[in-house]
Amino acid sequence: MKLVRTAAELRAELDPARRDGRAIGLVPTMGALHAGHLSLLDAARERCDVVVMSLFVNPTQFGPGEDIDAYPRDEARDLELAAAHGVDLVYAPDPAEVYPAGFATAVEVSGSLTRVLDGDPGRRGSEHFRGVTTVVAKLFNAVGPRIAFFGQKDAQQAIVLRRMVRDLEFPIEIEVMPTVRAADGLALSSRNAYLDDRDRRRAAALSRALGAVERAVAAGATSVAEALAAGRAELEAEGIEPEYLEARDTDGLDPVQSFNGRPVLVAVAARVGPARLIDNVVIGGADGRVPPTE
Ligand code: PAF
C-alpha cells in the first residue's frame, strides 16, 4: 500500500491503471476508521481492480462551533487498517493541498435536497453539503474512479452526491453500502468516540426509535404522524429530544404524509451528551438503502 500527500502524486500513481482501463474504486473518508468504513473498503476491493482511500478531515464541511478540532484522528491506525483491507493507495493531503491560498470555487447542489434535515439553516446548514460536494468533486477529478463507495448512515449525503454526479455528468457509480451497527443497534460512527458509558447506552435509542417506526408501519400504520410518534416515544424514554425525526421521499427529500409502498427515508438526528448523532432507515425500498437516482 502506498501513501501520497499531493494530487499530483495521486494522479501519477493512478495514470497506468487509467491507461490500462482498470476499474478504480474510491472510498472517501475522514479517518477514524470503524467497521462501517471497513465494509466500504471490502466492497471496493471486491468490485474494483485498484482501491483508493482518501483520508482528509475536510474543514469546509464543518460549521463554526462544530467539532473539527475534537474530531478523532489516528492516521497510523487508519493506515494499518486500510492495508489490512486491501487498499492500494491512500491519499492523505494537508488542508493547504486541497484548499491552497486563493481557493475560491465551490460545488453546490442547490434546492431543498441540501436545505432540509441536516441542511436546515438551524442545524448544519446547506454550507455543510457545499463543503462535502466541493471536496468530493475534487476527489472525483483527481482519482477518476469508476465506483465511489459511501455509507447509508449518511443517506442525505449519498442522495446529494448522486444528484451532483447526475447533474455534472461524472461517469461514476455511487455505491451506497448498508449501515453497520453495534450489537445494540447503534449505527457505527467516528463520533461515537465522544460518548461516555451512560451516553453510549442512551444512544442506542436512536436505532430503537427507527425500529419502532418500522414496526408501526409493518403493523399497518400508514400515517406518518402515527408511526413517528412510536419512534419519538423511544427517544423520550431516554430523555433524548431529537433535532429531527422525519419521513421524506428518497428522490427530492420532500416530506411525505403516508407510507404507501414507495421508498420513504425516515431520518433522525439528536444530540446525546457531547455527540451529535444521525441515523436512518428506508421503509418500502428494495433493500433498505437509498435507491439510485431516477
Ligand atoms: O462521509 C464522510 O466521511 C465525509 O463527508 C466525506 C464523504 C469523506 C467528505 O469529506
Side-chain angles (χ1 to χ4, degrees), residues 27-31 37 54 56-58 61 71 128 131-133 135-136 139 149-151 154 157 161:
V27 180
T29 82
M30 298 207 299
H37 296 110
S54 63
F56 178 60
V57 182
N58 174 35
Q61 69 188 77
Y71 200 82
H128 163 68
V132 171
T133 42
V135 80
V136 172
L139 288 168
F149 297 80
F150 298 88
D154 298 299
Q157 169 173 281
L161 288 170

Side-chain angles (χ1 to χ4, degrees), residues 155-175:
Q156 187 175 12
Q157 169 173 281
I159 290 169
V160 168
L161 288 170
R162 278 197 170 139
R163 185 64 65 88
M164 175 187 84
V165 161
R166 193 195 72 176
D167 290 354
L168 297 184
E169 298 170 28
F170 280 107
I172 297 171
E173 180 189 337
I174 302 281
E175 176 73 85

Side-chain angles (χ1 to χ4, degrees), residues 205-229:
L206 269 73
S207 75
R208 281 203 300 277
L210 296 170
V213 176
E214 281 182 305
R215 279 195 303 281
V217 176
T222 54
S223 139
V224 160
E226 185 189 338
L228 293 187

